[in-house]
Amino acid sequence: MDRILVIGAAGQIGSDLVTGLRKIHGAANVYATDIKPASIDIVEGGPFQILDVMDDKQLIHFIIRHKITQIYHLAAVLSGNAEKLPVQAWDINMRSLLNVLEIAKMVDDVKKVFWPSSIAVFGPTTSRVHTPQLTVMEPITVYGISKLAGERWCDYYFNKFGVDVRSIRYPGLISYKTEAGGGTTDYSVEIFYEAIRNQSYECFLSENTALPMLFMPDAIRATIDLMEADREKLTINSAYNLGGFSVTPKKLYQEIQAHIPDFKIQYNPDFRQAIADSWPQSIDDSIAKRDWGCRYDYDLKKMTVEMLREIGKKWD
Ligand code: AKB
């Protein structure tokens, strides 16, 4: 029986992932942790503890005491926030990953680690359409540099010490449970809240900025499927490209406006525009499909209907 530790359980991915993992492994076997309090359903739905991944002693005690067999390390400073405090963001993103990898190397009970990478590993010298798995990678953001270095560390720990660490290069993630914080793709979540709350949204990216996006249920299924895949079938030891669907602020606005005719948008690009312009517009994820059967249920239309319905319930 697996005992799972989720680090960063109060965040955008964590709050959905914990629920998914508890359904599969049993609530009592999924330990949700974060440095900040989590939502009621995470705290009341199974074990939850405040835990700082930067504190390696506290972390190793927790892992040994609870006989943890799998770690999902989701805590990170995202692209927009990382540009405001580059050195601190680098420290947090890298030190936390190295703490987890070192513990996974030392503690025999720990059999698998998941750590999220991002499309931010790519940069302006990468071909931006249908970006391949293996290509030029010259990220221009601190977040992207830390994700690229993180991928190399994961590959290193796998090859050198046999740590079974698995990873996905997530595109922008769209979800209704917990809002994202500090990312460049966050507009794709904010726009739904503002459409429902105020029927108006000021977008920090320009109207034709295309980026790959994924709806959270597809991201959670992909994450769990990758973790459950046979190791022998995996040909990537760093992080798998994941594509989802490609969308611009204008296309997303039009899709929402079809449901909320009075919805208005203004475009006022800020520093995040340069970040978005350096990222892929669409992703080639054929290797994820081949190796572990990655697939998606949601496109732009289906995702929009579900986002509006679920966020609408919060404001009823
Ligand atoms: C961000 O915008 O920083 C993240 C990401 C694409 O990794 N959502």
Side-chain angles (χ1 to χ4, degrees):
M1 192 197 291
D2 274 307
R3 277 169 305 279
I4 296 173
L5 168 62
V6 180
I7 299 165
Q12 192 197 12
I13 304 175
S15 42
D16 276 285
L17 186 64
V18 166
T19 310
L21 289 171
R22 281 179 175 162
K23 276 187 198 137
I24 297 170
H25 298 277
N29 296 314
V30 179
Y31 295 83
T33 67
D34 207 301
I35 47 165
K36 56 179 193 271
S39 62
I40 294 280
D41 36 315
I42 297 292
V43 173
E44 292 185 349
F48 174 79
Q49 190 178 308
I50 297 289
L51 183 80
D52 183 358
V53 62
M54 300 294 278
D55 182 345
D56 56 344
K57 290 189 182 57
Q58 194 195 10
L59 187 61
I60 197 166
H61 283 141
F62 187 96
I63 287 168
I64 290 172
R65 181 157 25 103
H66 296 289
K67 298 186 168 52
I68 296 297
T69 61
Q70 290 188 20
I71 305 172
Y72 288 75
H73 167 33
L74 309 173
V77 184
L78 295 186
S79 56
N81 279 350
E83 290 307 295
K84 294 176 193 158
L85 289 168
V87 176
Q88 286 90 332
W90 170 263
D91 272 355
I92 293 169
N93 290 357
M94 297 320 302
R95 174 51 46 205
S96 65
L97 174 61
L98 287 170
N99 283 349
V100 169
L101 291 174
E102 268 299 291
I103 291 173
K105 180 183 97 180
M106 288 186 299
V107 179
D108 286 343
D109 277 345
V110 177
K111 302 294 182 221
K112 284 184 210 169
V113 174
F114 179 83
W115 170 80
S117 186
S118 160
I119 55 162
V121 293
F122 302 113
T125 50
T126 306
S127 125
R128 295 183 66 206
V129 177
H130 210 56
T131 302
Q133 175 72 39
L134 207 57
T135 183
V136 175
M137 291 159 106
E138 294 186 315
I140 56 164
T141 62
V142 170
Y143 175 68
I145 298 168
S146 73
K147 288 294 182 190
L148 180 53
E151 285 192 12
R152 297 293 87 227
W153 277 114
C154 290
D155 192 63
Y156 182 83
Y157 270 76
F158 175 75
N159 286 312
K160 190 103 182 168
F161 308 117
V163 174
D164 185 356
V165 49
R166 306 179 183 198
S167 179
I168 285 172
R169 291 176 185 150
Y170 289 120
L173 295 176
I174 303 180
S175 67
Y176 52 79
K177 211 166 172 188
T178 306
E179 288 187 56
T184 301
T185 58
D186 291 12
Y187 90 84
S188 61
V189 176
E190 287 174 11
I191 193 170
F192 284 98
Y193 281 90
E194 293 307 309
I196 289 171
R197 261 192 306 232
N198 303 317
Q199 290 82 56
S200 123
Y201 178 56
E202 188 177 312
C203 186
F204 58 77
L205 296 183
S206 64
E207 59 185 333
N208 293 320
T209 309
L211 287 167
M213 299 281 176
L214 192 60
F215 192 36
M216 193 57 89
D218 280 336
I220 298 303
R221 206 225 352 251
T223 306
I224 294 173
D225 283 355
L226 172 61
M227 285 296 270
E228 288 186 350
D230 285 346
R231 180 78 230 189
E232 302 81 70
K233 291 198 175 143
L234 305 183
T235 58
I236 302 294
N237 305 320
S238 52
Y240 279 91
N241 269 12
L242 225 67
F245 51 87
S246 187
V247 72
T248 62
K250 187 174 173 184
K251 264 208 262 172
L252 185 50
Y253 164 70
Q254 287 168 338
E255 197 60 45
I256 297 172
Q257 204 198 24
H259 299 268
I260 306 176
D262 290 339
F263 181 36
K264 302 271 181 298
I265 192 161
Q266 276 184 337
Y267 300 96
N268 191 7
D270 68 12
F271 71 100
R272 287 167 284 191
Q273 184 65 47
I275 300 178
D277 288 341
S278 77
W279 287 355
Q281 298 178 336
S282 59
I283 295 282
D284 172 6
D285 52 12
S286 51
I287 298 185
K289 287 177 176 147
R290 183 198 66 194
D291 283 8
W292 46 277
C294 171
R295 65 191 167 87
Y296 313 115
D297 280 341
Y298 290 87
D299 58 12
L300 174 61
K301 240 185 198 15
K302 200 169 158 197
M303 174 279 296
T304 302
V305 169
E306 193 152 329
M307 282 294 282
L308 291 172
R309 189 180 54 236
E310 293 301 322
I311 296 173
K313 283 185 202 160
K314 297 189 189 187
W315 303 103
D316 275 350

